[in-house]
Every structure is written in structure tokens, then in C-alpha cells.
Amino acid sequence: PMERDIIPEEHIARYLSKTRKALEELKIISPDRSFMKTAADDFLSMARAYFEDAEHFYETGDLINAFACVNYSHGWLDAGARLGLFDVDGDDQLFTLYK
């Protein structure tokens, strides 16, 4: 059984892979000169920044912070998908959709 205070490296690697794929597949669908485009850009910027931090922490062996950052990253992506900022082509495996 897995100990509760240890996050296995392969578990984090799987999360990183899923979030990397989600970042590659989403599309911003808001019109360029709209408030929602600004919001979409901001959500994506936050997701990318946290993902880069997650990769850095993972590469340096800081698995706890890598896990935290990849989850924050994916949270921004899920929120953007649920709000309709991103077109995720109905993918409910990579994203948490509203309906």
C-alpha cells in the first residue's frame, strides 16, 4: 500500500503528461477584442506558469511542490473549460466540463 505522505514519482509524471496534453489540445475561442479573450489569455498564462514550475520542481526532485503546481495548473485549465473560455472539443478525460 502507498504511504499517505509520499507521492510516487510515476504518479506525478502521469499528472504532468495529462496536463501537457491538455495544454496542447485546448483552443481559445473568445473574440480577440473581448473581455473573455483577456480572461482566457490570463487563465492560460497562469496554467502555463504553474506547469513550468511543476516541471522545474519535478526535474530537481522536489516532488511535493511539483505535485502542487501541476494540480494548480490543471485547475486553471479545468476552470477555463467549464467557463467556456477554451474549446476542448468535449474532452471529458483531460478536462472537467460543466455538462
Side-chain angles (χ1 to χ4, degrees), residues 70-87:
V70 75
N71 280 286
Y72 264 94
S73 174
H74 214 101
W76 280 102
L77 298 178
D78 282 342
R82 287 181 66 98
L83 288 170
L85 300 175
F86 307 138
D87 177 2

Side-chain angles (χ1 to χ4, degrees), residues 37-74:
K37 172 70 162 87
T38 302
D41 287 343
D42 188 46
F43 275 50
L44 187 53
S45 174
M46 294 298 292
R48 285 181 175 149
Y50 274 110
F51 185 74
E52 288 173 11
D53 288 347
E55 288 186 312
H56 167 77
F57 287 127
Y58 181 75
E59 290 167 5
T60 61
D62 185 346
L63 301 182
I64 299 297
N65 281 315
F67 187 68
C69 287
V70 75
N71 280 286
Y72 264 94
S73 174
H74 214 101

Side-chain angles (χ1 to χ4, degrees), residues 15-33:
Y15 273 79
L16 286 167
S17 177
K18 181 179 180 179
T19 301
R20 182 178 300 106
K21 186 173 182 183
L23 282 164
E24 292 169 357
E25 292 193 11
L26 70 84
K27 294 174 187 67
I28 293 177
I29 57 174
S30 306
D32 283 341
R33 296 176 65 188

